[in-house]
Amino acid sequence: MIEVKVTVILDFIPLVGGSREQTVQIEENASILGLIDQLIVMYGEKLRNKLFNESKDIRPEIAMFLNGRNVFALDGLNTKLSLGDEILIFPPVGGG
């Protein structure tokens, strides 16, 4: 098992137990999708519905960063995680 740090903001905070940051233990060589699956098991279907659309694709407005890099510029949800990695997940942010 390895530990990664997961940070969420805005609408995601209440969906993950009210904590902005947490450390999650996952299997070695797990992907971001594996981490998301684990978070959904921990926190429920509301989190799944916020992240995925009806086609079971990640919603295009959701942003995810691994160690400061957009995961979709890497291997997307198949990006492998390593000990100490930091994941940031956030919903669309608008304003004017």
Side-chain angles (χ1 to χ4, degrees), residues 11-23:
D11 297 353
F12 281 104
I13 294 172
L15 297 177
V16 296
S19 181
R20 185 174 180 269
E21 295 181 355
Q22 60 186 292
T23 300

Side-chain angles (χ1 to χ4, degrees), residues 56-92:
K56 299 183 182 173
D57 295 320
I58 197 81
R59 293 182 184 277
E61 65 270 16
I62 301 298
M64 289 187 213
F65 290 85
L66 171 63
N67 301 324
R69 295 185 63 199
N70 189 318
V71 300
F72 300 107
L74 302 169
D75 287 330
L77 298 180
N78 295 318
T79 302
K80 298 294 182 189
L81 298 172
S82 300
L83 176 67
D85 279 346
E86 295 184 15
I87 314 302
L88 172 63
I89 303 172
F90 59 93

Side-chain angles (χ1 to χ4, degrees), residues 3 7 18 23-24 27 32 34-35 41-42 49-50 55-56 62 65 67 70-71 73 78 82 88:
E3 289 186 344
T7 302
T23 300
V24 178
E27 296 290 327
I32 291 176
L35 171 65
V41 167
M42 292 167 60
N49 294 337
K50 186 74 169 178
S55 302
K56 299 183 182 173
I62 301 298
F65 290 85
N67 301 324
N70 189 318
V71 300
N78 295 318
S82 300
L88 172 63

Side-chain angles (χ1 to χ4, degrees), residues 21-47:
E21 295 181 355
Q22 60 186 292
T23 300
V24 178
Q25 289 192 352
I26 58 170
E27 296 290 327
E28 280 190 52
N29 294 319
S31 66
I32 291 176
L33 183 58
L35 171 65
I36 290 171
D37 287 343
Q38 184 169 333
L39 290 171
I40 290 168
V41 167
M42 292 167 60
Y43 296 110
E45 289 300 309
K46 286 184 179 181
L47 179 60

